[in-house]
Amino acid sequence: MALNPQEVRVSPGMGGRILDGGRRFLEGDVFHSFRRSPLTMFAAFITLVLFLVALLAPWIAPFNTLNLSSINLMDARFPPMGSTFDDNGFIVEPDPRFPLGTDEQGRDLLSAIMFGLRISLQVGFASVVLAAVFGTLLGLVSGYVGGKLDSVIMRVADIQLTFPAILIALLIDGVSRGFMNAETHQAFKLPILVLAIAASQWVNFARTVRGSTLVEKGKEYVQAARVIGIHPILIMLRHVLPNVTGPVLVIATLTLAIAILTEATLSFLGVGVPATQPSLGTLIRLGQGVLFSGMWWLTIFPSLVLVVLVLAVNLLGDWLRDALNPRLR
């Protein structure tokens, strides 16, 4: 018996569902709002370029600044292209191998910025993910369960809000130094820094998710799930959590900029990443020490990259907040 081709239905499969989801996104309000904002498109382009530079730094950087054996002291104090450096009466001409100049150790500043950007983004992303997971879970439990547990979690959040985020991060770093010797603390420097920044940022996620959960748990679909006997944990994870992820995404985008600035501040104060693996904040701190000797490029260029990155991420966060909230469109 021959089959009519029109009667044969083929499942779209995973690829078809992905294409269908991509088509709906391109036709949706969020992408339409994105296309209507040239400033947001420019911020997204700058952010994408900086992310790609950080991701591909080991392959596209002219020099590997993390490898100390590749540094030559004879290449120290070269100024950036287009300028000269008057060091005690001697004119130092630029070297085309180092378009942004070198530091006192002969380290190429362009390569150092690429690797520093990579470390700053790694710390920022890791701390935001940790803060988002911890804060979202606490906010979900606090809003759904309520009662004394809700009061305890929110009072802890209120107490933490009275302290500046940088002070909490410094406190955690100081406590870790008290429990570890210098060698162990140096080995776990990055995880401690991520934990310190995440511990200062989870409150925003918890309070926002709690408020959204209080709204969602009174709706009919949650009541129906309770009636048919679904476990509360499954209700929170399967039904409530997907409906409160919109605000979490917005907060995570804005918190990424704050986390990068916090890491830069801690590194500038000397409690961030070590000088052998410099982030943007560490590069700024090292450049600030020789700023008045005429080596201005060691501070200016890392600072410009940090400002551009934070500004671009903040612009994307502001657009995402407006795009996901119909009241703000």
Side-chain angles (χ1 to χ4, degrees):
M1 179 178 178
L3 294 176
N4 187 351
Q6 297 180 351
E7 297 178 355
V8 179
R9 297 181 179 179
V10 180
S11 175
M14 181 62 71
R17 288 194 293 269
I18 293 177
L19 292 176
D20 186 59
R23 184 173 61 253
R24 288 199 303 268
F25 172 76
L26 295 177
E27 296 174 353
D29 295 336
V30 174
F31 187 71
H32 178 69
S33 173
F34 178 77
R35 291 188 303 172
R36 291 181 57 188
S37 177
L39 182 60
T40 303
M41 296 177 64
F42 181 72
F45 173 75
I46 295 298
T47 304
L48 179 62
V49 169
L50 292 177
F51 277 30
L52 290 177
V53 168
L55 182 65
L56 302 177
W59 297 277
I60 66 176
F63 300 92
N64 183 5
T65 57
L66 300 182
N67 184 9
L68 299 181
S69 62
S70 64
I71 298 177
N72 187 358
L73 291 177
M74 299 299 295
D75 296 329
R77 295 192 172 192
F78 278 114
M81 298 300 295
S83 63
T84 57
F85 175 44
D86 189 355
D87 184 13
N88 297 325
F90 296 96
I91 302 299
V92 179
E93 296 293 339
D95 191 317
R97 295 177 300 164
F98 314 113
L100 296 185
T102 60
D103 60 8
E104 291 184 313
Q105 299 175 349
R107 182 165 48 191
D108 177 40
L109 185 58
L110 176 60
S111 302
I113 289 176
M114 290 183 177
F115 282 99
L117 181 64
R118 179 184 179 92
I119 294 175
S120 294
L121 287 175
Q122 285 178 345
V123 173
F125 266 111
S127 59
V128 168
V129 170
L130 183 59
V133 171
F134 185 70
T136 299
L137 291 178
L138 284 181
L140 195 64
V141 172
S142 177
Y144 189 84
V145 176
K148 293 183 178 180
L149 182 60
D150 177 34
S151 299
V152 171
I153 295 176
M154 287 300 101
R155 296 300 78 75
V156 172
D158 292 339
I159 293 174
Q160 180 166 332
L161 285 175
T162 61
F163 297 94
I166 189 67
L167 182 60
I168 297 175
L170 287 172
L171 177 63
I172 294 177
D173 182 81
V175 171
S176 64
R177 290 174 184 269
F179 284 95
M180 301 179 182
N181 56 44
E183 183 178 353
T184 304
H185 186 271
Q186 191 73 9
F188 289 93
K189 192 70 173 180
L190 285 180
I192 293 174
L193 186 60
V194 170
L195 178 62
I197 297 175
S200 65
Q201 300 296 334
W202 68 270
V203 176
N204 295 327
F205 292 96
R207 291 172 65 89
T208 302
V209 172
R210 173 185 177 271
S212 300
T213 303
L214 290 174
V215 175
E216 294 295 327
K217 77 172 185 178
K219 294 184 177 179
E220 290 80 3
Y221 72 94
V222 176
Q223 301 297 333
R226 288 176 176 175
V227 170
I228 63 178
I230 299 180
H231 196 277
I233 296 180
L234 295 180
I235 294 177
M236 287 188 289
L237 296 179
R238 290 182 181 178
H239 300 282
V240 179
L241 181 59
N243 292 290
V244 300
T245 53
V248 171
L249 182 60
V250 175
I251 296 175
T253 305
L254 296 174
T255 304
L256 176 61
I258 298 175
I260 293 173
L261 279 179
T262 304
E263 182 277 326
T265 303
L266 291 174
S267 297
F268 185 82
L269 294 175
V271 296
V273 296
T276 55
Q277 295 179 329
S279 65
L280 293 178
T282 307
L283 291 175
I284 295 172
R285 176 175 62 85
L286 295 176
Q288 189 268 343
V290 294
L291 179 62
F292 294 102
S293 66
M295 301 176 65
W296 52 267
W297 58 89
L298 298 181
T299 302
I300 297 299
F301 291 129
S303 300
L304 286 177
V305 174
L306 180 62
V307 169
V308 170
L309 173 62
V310 172
L311 181 59
V313 173
N314 270 328
L315 288 175
L316 284 179
D318 290 339
W319 162 79
L320 192 61
R321 179 195 59 196
D322 298 341
L324 296 180
N325 190 348
R327 298 178 180 178
L328 298 177
R329 293 177 187 170

